[in-house]
Amino acid sequence: DEKDAAGLPLTARAVFIVGPDKKLKLSLLYPATTGRNFDEIIRVVDSLQLTAHKKVATPANWQQGGDCMVLPSVKGEECTKLFPKMRIEQVPSGKEYMRFTPQPE
């Protein structure tokens, strides 16, 4: 239904973020009638830069300076050494995979 006065389809707006490894990291497609959310694009770039060099992931709604999740691949002693302020959120299964830490510098 997104057509101009002549009945031609409106152009969609796309955002692509390519990493230094030349791999596509993010692709967003916005309809022509919707503006892009630059705050979200900056948030994604911040997250990609952080997680490329630190052993963390950023949770939903993460913002710069917020808590991050420790990657499951980080085990035992390495975990406590890298993230001394880490906390574990309890889940019904009793598994300890919800590990949060202040954002590393």
Side-chain angles (χ1 to χ4, degrees):
D1 291 358
E2 294 184 352
K3 297 183 180 182
D4 65 12
L8 297 172
L10 294 173
T11 304
R13 296 180 174 105
V15 175
F16 301 101
I17 297 178
V18 179
D21 58 359
K22 309 289 189 238
K23 292 184 181 179
L24 182 65
K25 302 297 183 185
L26 174 77
S27 171
L28 292 172
L29 181 63
Y30 292 92
T33 56
T34 303
R36 288 164 283 206
N37 183 338
F38 286 96
D39 289 335
E40 174 64 4
I41 293 168
I42 296 299
R43 187 187 79 82
V44 169
V45 169
D46 288 342
S47 172
L48 290 169
Q49 290 175 338
L50 173 66
T51 59
H53 302 290
K54 304 294 181 180
K55 295 182 179 187
V56 295
T58 54
N61 298 319
W62 172 85
Q63 295 293 323
Q64 183 69 261
D67 283 354
C68 299
M69 296 183 77
V70 178
L71 293 178
S73 60
V74 182
K75 306 285 186 209
E77 192 175 303
E78 180 187 18
C79 194
T80 54
K81 181 180 176 187
L82 289 174
F83 308 109
K85 294 182 180 179
M86 179 191 71
R87 74 179 193 290
I88 299 171
E89 292 288 325
Q90 299 301 315
V91 295
S93 68
K95 295 183 179 180
E96 296 184 346
Y97 64 89
M98 297 280 293
R99 304 177 300 171
F100 291 88
T101 187
Q103 179 176 322
E105 304 229 354

